[in-house]
């Protein structure tokens, strides 16, 4: 899909949100997750926005701001937020099952997580085109394009550092969003990259552009080079968390 992608600057658009009018460059003054949803009052989107609300403390701990987007207008968002908050509970899945058993399945009467982040309105579907968030296949009842499940992680320099693009049929995993944030944070401070399935605390790899001589200076904690048939010595592990 053409348009905004990693490395690009997010344009300084003025957008209408549930928190009033926001200029994107004013809002994005730290790491920011800009994430879109196909539509208000749809099932997967309700669970995703709820999970974002439940994970808000994890994002805040990392100094990361959230900014949602769904087509539909601000008044629709405001009504929808009531459903999202009623559905979402900030407790572990096992305790949650017990709670649901006690109070009745998905009762709208128990208090949920507050949606504290703004949600952009894009009823004319203009922003989703500019922000590369259009789902090419999914249409609303009037035949108009709707947003995909796009998620841009933007740095304080307003540039996109990472993008997910999921179809409407697949809800995102917020644990993965937190994991990639932790990877981005470490790789922005060190000349490293994180290997497949990496989790915080595990070894990272030294960037290929770093020579062994430089690596000795940059990583006084030491590093291990994995012996491979090519003998090229490119797979070097170190740890930046211990
Ligand atoms: C949903 O959020 O559940 C959804 C939205 C649009 C198409 C399919 C699913």
């Amino acid at each position: 899909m053409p348009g905004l992608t990693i490395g690009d600057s997010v344009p300084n658009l003025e957008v209408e949100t549930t928190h009033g009018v926001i200029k994107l460059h004013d809002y994005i003054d730290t790491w920011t997750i800009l994430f879109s949803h196909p539509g208000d009052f749809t099932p997967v989107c309700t669970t995703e926005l709820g999970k974002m609300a439940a994970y808000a403390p994890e994002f805040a701990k990392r100094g990361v701001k959230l900014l949602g987007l769904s087509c539909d207008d601000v008044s629709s968002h405001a009504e929808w937020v009531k459903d999202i908050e009623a559905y979402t509970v900030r407790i572990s899945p096992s305790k949650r099952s017990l709670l649901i058993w006690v109070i009745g399945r998905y009762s709208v009467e128990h208090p949920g997580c507050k949606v504290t982040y703004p949600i952009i309105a894009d009823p004319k579907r203009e922003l989703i085109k500019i922000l590369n968030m259009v789902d090419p296949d999914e249409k609303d009842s009037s035949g108009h394009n709707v947003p995909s499940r796009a998620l841009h992680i933007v740095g304080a320099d307003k540039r996109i550092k990472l993008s997910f693009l999921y179809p409407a049929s697949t809800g995102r995993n917020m644990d993965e969003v937190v994991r990639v944030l932790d990877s981005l944070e470490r790789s922005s401070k060190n000349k490293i990259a994180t290997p497949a399935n990496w989790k915080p605390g595990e070894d990272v790899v030294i960037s290929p552009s770093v020579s062994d001589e430089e690596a000795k200076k940059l990583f006084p904690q030491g590093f291990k080079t994995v012996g491979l048939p090519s003998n090229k010595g490119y797979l070097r592990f170190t740890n930046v968390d211990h």
Side-chain angles (χ1 to χ4, degrees), residues 34-46:
L34 175 57
F35 55 106
S36 62
H37 301 268
D40 295 4
F41 301 103
T42 53
V44 177
C45 299
T46 301

Side-chain angles (χ1 to χ4, degrees), residues 172-190:
R172 286 158 285 194
N173 182 330
M174 303 320 163
D175 286 330
E176 176 62 0
V177 178
V178 172
R179 191 191 75 89
V180 298
L181 278 170
D182 287 336
S183 166
L184 290 170
E185 191 263 333
R186 283 155 181 78
S187 59
S188 69
K189 291 186 181 154
N190 305 279

Side-chain angles (χ1 to χ4, degrees), residues 37-48 80 135 138-139 146-147 149 167-171:
H37 301 268
D40 295 4
F41 301 103
T42 53
V44 177
C45 299
T46 301
T47 64
E48 285 194 319
W80 183 34
D135 189 315
E138 203 67 43
K139 305 268 192 291
V146 298
R149 298 189 196 285
S169 55
T170 307

Side-chain angles (χ1 to χ4, degrees), residues 24-43:
L24 289 184
H25 283 197
D26 293 341
Y27 190 80
I28 304 169
D29 55 1
T30 179
W31 290 92
T32 301
I33 302 177
L34 175 57
F35 55 106
S36 62
H37 301 268
D40 295 4
F41 301 103
T42 53

